[in-house]
Amino acid sequence: MVPRPQDPVAVFDSGVGGLTVLHELLVSLPTEDYIYLGDTARFPYGGRSPVELQAYSIEIAEHLLEAGAKLIVIACNSASAAALEPLERHLAERARDVDVIGVLRPTAQHAVVVSRTGRIGLLATPATVGSGAYEREVTVADRHVHLESVACPDLAPIIQSGFPFDEDVVDTVRAYCAPLRSAGVDTVILGSTHYPLCAPILQRMLGRGVTLVSAGAGVTRSVERALASRGLLNPRSDEGAYRFRCTADVESFTSLGTRFLQMPLGDVIHVELEARVAV
């Protein structure tokens, strides 16, 4: 089916973290309709293999296309690193003429632009750090930039579980920030869409002179340009609708998701996915 301007923009993530990206889209492109899928049954993605992430992403994309998506946003750093290009090939082979926007390239480009010294830090999941994707994107943007990467295996699960603000969490965040302080970075990429929720703690640990860069603003610009280039911007003048699906407990998704989105979620639909797509 040929995408139409009135069709929704689809956003997916391993959990509720991608709602920080959806929030920016809702604010900056308010006339669009959106459908969001949180793969909470298979969260976290940060320790998954590239093959698993590719299978999950292809399956979710097919599900969202069946729901009428005109563009797909991979609002997950781990999935963007492992699955963006395989997913684009999968869709091209099946003549599905739909753009896919990942979070890595827009975020890396933004970080390079705002850095004053060319020393940039990255806080991300082990899967994202291990992929080397941010290093490649930063080098493409400016080969003179140095990227200091820190894998944070515990941070996204802590936030997804409700993020108790206790001393153990503070100590965990402090340990992750220590190498970046030692490296003298002036900009830090929040390489998981969950991390903006602990931005105040990160800012305190890193110092007020360090700029934190998250995915929302860069992804929103990329989505707007992609839609405009195809004549797919929704021409309506009023606010669009947004709806949600998740693969695990609906009540938990709704409770935590409201905090991430900073808007009411309304009804959330439970869906079953099985990663049955071959890569």
Side-chain angles (χ1 to χ4, degrees), residues 108 111-113 115 117-121 135 138-139 141-148:
V112 169
V113 169
S115 176
T117 65
R119 300 190 65 80
I120 298 174
E135 284 83 352
V138 166
T139 300
D142 187 338
R143 63 187 179 87
H144 301 292
V145 169
H146 170 76
L147 185 69
E148 186 76 19

Side-chain angles (χ1 to χ4, degrees), residues 3-255:
R4 304 168 301 171
Q6 64 267 35
D7 292 333
V9 172
V11 182
F12 78 87
D13 182 37
S14 60
V16 297
L19 293 173
T20 60
V21 174
L22 179 60
H23 174 87
E24 293 292 334
L25 288 165
L26 288 168
V27 171
S28 299
L29 298 174
T31 63
E32 298 293 338
D33 288 345
Y34 298 94
I35 179 171
Y36 181 95
L37 190 146
D39 191 11
T40 44
R42 298 184 292 208
F43 177 88
Y45 277 9
R48 301 285 187 178
S49 71
V51 171
E52 286 178 302
L53 294 174
Q54 291 162 24
Y56 297 171
S57 298
I58 289 172
E59 182 183 33
I60 291 170
E62 289 290 354
H63 176 88
L64 293 170
L65 289 172
E66 289 174 8
K70 65 180 176 183
L71 179 146
I72 296 173
V73 177
I74 307 178
C76 171
N77 283 264
S78 299
S80 293
L84 177 60
E85 292 181 4
L87 176 54
E88 289 176 330
R89 288 196 300 269
H90 170 86
L91 296 177
E93 289 167 0
R94 287 155 180 79
R96 310 294 290 270
D97 190 22
V98 175
D99 284 320
V100 182
I101 307 292
V103 293
L104 271 76
R105 180 165 298 169
T107 308
Q109 290 173 343
H110 182 48
V112 169
V113 169
V114 302
S115 176
R116 304 178 304 279
T117 65
R119 300 190 65 80
I120 298 174
L122 168 66
L123 296 171
T125 67
T128 299
V129 171
S131 73
Y134 267 111
E135 284 83 352
R136 291 190 293 272
E137 294 295 346
V138 166
T139 300
V140 168
D142 187 338
R143 63 187 179 87
H144 301 292
V145 169
H146 170 76
L147 185 69
E148 186 76 19
S149 300
V150 177
C152 309
D154 303 322
L155 196 50
I158 287 172
I159 297 169
Q160 180 82 9
S161 67
F163 198 12
F165 288 90
D166 57 25
E167 286 303 316
D168 288 340
V169 171
V170 172
D171 290 342
T172 298
V173 174
R174 183 179 289 113
Y176 290 146
C177 291
L180 303 183
R181 290 178 63 93
S182 297
V185 302
D186 75 339
T187 302
V188 172
I189 296 170
L190 304 184
S192 167
T193 50
H194 284 72
Y195 297 173
L197 229 63
C198 65
I201 295 179
L202 290 169
Q203 193 73 72
R204 176 175 169 81
M205 301 301 175
L206 293 165
R208 64 181 183 179
V210 173
T211 301
L212 303 181
V213 174
S214 56
V219 169
T220 297
R221 286 193 295 270
S222 293
V223 168
E224 185 172 17
R225 286 193 293 261
L227 293 176
S229 70
R230 290 174 174 260
L232 290 175
L233 286 168
N234 197 313
R236 74 196 306 166
S237 58
D238 56 341
E239 297 172 8
Y242 54 92
R243 49 202 168 103
F244 302 91
R245 303 180 180 189
C246 71
T247 59
D249 181 64
V250 168
E251 186 175 339
S252 297
F253 180 90
T254 303
S255 176

